[in-house]
Amino acid sequence: MRPGEQAPAFALPDQTGTVRRLDELLAAGPVALFFYPAAFTPGCTKEACHFRDLAAEFAAAGVQRIGISADAVEKLDRWTAEHGLDFPLLADVSGEIAKAYGVQRGSLLRTIGMPTKRTTFAIRTDGTIADVIASEVNMTVHADRALTALRS
């Protein structure tokens, strides 16, 4: 996926079991959609907490924060509670949406608990991608760049 392309549609349950659809999310404003490998891991926790810590900046820009992983709803619910995460985390257990976005890893890495590449998509309200942020080591660049891309 590259900037200018249309973001693939999805309908997935969040940590409460509520199904979230991309088209409904975009009706409320642009979306920073971040794929992460697994809840409760150090890097993913740091990344999600950075998105949490920038809540006021995202709200001021009218940008929604949405996380997505292959974790089950119940695990996402526990992670949300433990870290005070204040945005939807979507359960892509089948990996179908990760595959549609081109961030699903090969079968070997999926079997050892790394099913998804850490990638963020800044999605405009028309569904086009404004920016793609891919970094496995810089956990703060995802939120920072997505916010910058969707402010303009």
Side-chain angles (χ1 to χ4, degrees), residues 9-21:
F10 60 76
L12 292 170
D14 68 13
Q15 68 269 33
T16 69
T18 302
V19 174
R20 306 288 185 130
R21 301 174 57 87

Side-chain angles (χ1 to χ4, degrees), residues 66-127:
I66 309 292
I68 186 167
S69 72
D71 296 309
V73 168
E74 299 77 15
K75 184 177 181 183
L76 296 175
D77 189 44
R78 289 192 315 274
W79 197 43
T80 298
E82 186 170 314
H83 295 285
L85 302 176
D86 60 343
F87 49 85
L89 297 173
L90 308 183
D92 181 26
V93 177
S94 71
E96 181 180 322
I97 305 308
K99 186 175 182 179
Y101 278 79
V103 298
Q104 187 179 57
R105 294 188 193 273
S107 59
L108 175 62
L109 289 173
R110 284 197 313 264
T111 60
I112 61 168
M114 298 293 286
T116 336
K117 297 174 188 172
R118 186 181 314 282
T119 310
T120 299
F121 297 89
I123 307 172
R124 297 181 191 102
T125 55
D126 66 0

